[in-house]
Amino acid sequence: MSAAGTIYDFSADSLAGAPVDLGQYRGQVLLIVNTASKCGFTPQYKGLEQVYERFKDRGVVVLGFPCNQFGSQEPGTADDIGSFCEKNFGVTFPLFAKIDVNGSATPPLFARLKKEARGLLGSEAIKWNFTKFLVRKDGSVFQRYAPSTAPLDLVADIEKLLAE
């Protein structure tokens, strides 16, 4: 992938392990989140699903990427994760295979997100579960949000990006 590309030039493995071309989301607003099932922020799955349900017909997709790097809060298998999210939070938005969001095993997608939307004091590192990245319809990263930012607090920014 060239440096001039966009988020839509990447691929990621689905929770079931099948490759997913993110190009299928071209022209849509994306909310990309690193998630965990045993985190204090885990109830945000409900808010993420509410955002997805509210905006999916208008071209917004939530993409969840389970991560076990913070306090080992996502220890389960893909089946465990999928069952937990569906049963406890009614998650219907796409979930992907468990990844590392920091370190040498960081997938190119997250390396790009972190570079384009740096965190506190310009840091690229993700500090905890439920860090959120909002991506414009053109595939450029709009903004990074802290884990403590509730998904429904992003509604105004999502509306702004849909109007662009």
Side-chain angles (χ1 to χ4, degrees):
M1 201 216 90
S2 70
T6 72
I7 295 303
Y8 303 121
D9 295 320
F10 293 99
S11 65
D13 288 341
S14 72
L15 197 57
V20 175
D21 177 1
L22 298 186
Q24 70 180 304
Y25 302 116
R26 191 174 305 279
Q28 298 182 61
V29 173
L30 303 180
L31 176 56
I32 301 174
V33 187
N34 67 302
T35 61
S37 298
K38 299 185 183 309
C39 175
F41 294 117
T42 298
Q44 286 190 20
Y45 269 123
K46 181 179 180 184
L48 292 169
E49 181 63 23
Q50 288 172 324
V51 166
Y52 181 60
E53 288 296 324
R54 180 171 175 177
F55 291 104
K56 68 181 180 181
D57 293 337
R58 294 177 57 199
V60 176
V61 182
V62 175
L63 305 177
F65 286 84
C67 178
N68 195 40
Q69 283 188 293
F70 307 103
S72 298
Q73 295 181 342
E74 189 60 273
T77 65
D79 286 343
D80 294 337
I81 294 165
S83 296
F84 173 85
C85 292
E86 184 178 343
K87 179 179 146 200
N88 293 292
F89 300 101
V91 168
T92 62
F93 58 83
L95 292 171
F96 291 82
K98 195 168 10 178
I99 61 165
D100 285 350
V101 295
N102 292 322
S104 61
T106 302
L109 169 64
F110 269 82
R112 179 65 168 270
L113 290 167
K114 295 186 313 181
K115 185 175 182 181
E116 285 194 26
R118 295 177 188 261
L120 194 61
L121 303 176
S123 170
E124 284 190 29
I126 289 177
K127 304 293 189 210
W128 203 253
N129 303 307
F130 290 90
T131 297
K132 300 157 200 72
F133 294 89
L134 200 53
V135 177
R136 293 179 181 92
K137 291 187 268 186
D138 69 2
S140 64
V141 181
F142 173 70
Q143 190 168 330
R144 177 194 293 215
Y145 301 87
S148 58
T149 304
L152 292 174
D153 290 345
L154 279 57
V155 167
D157 286 345
I158 291 168
E159 291 280 8
K160 175 181 175 180
L161 295 185
L162 285 171
E164 285 184 347

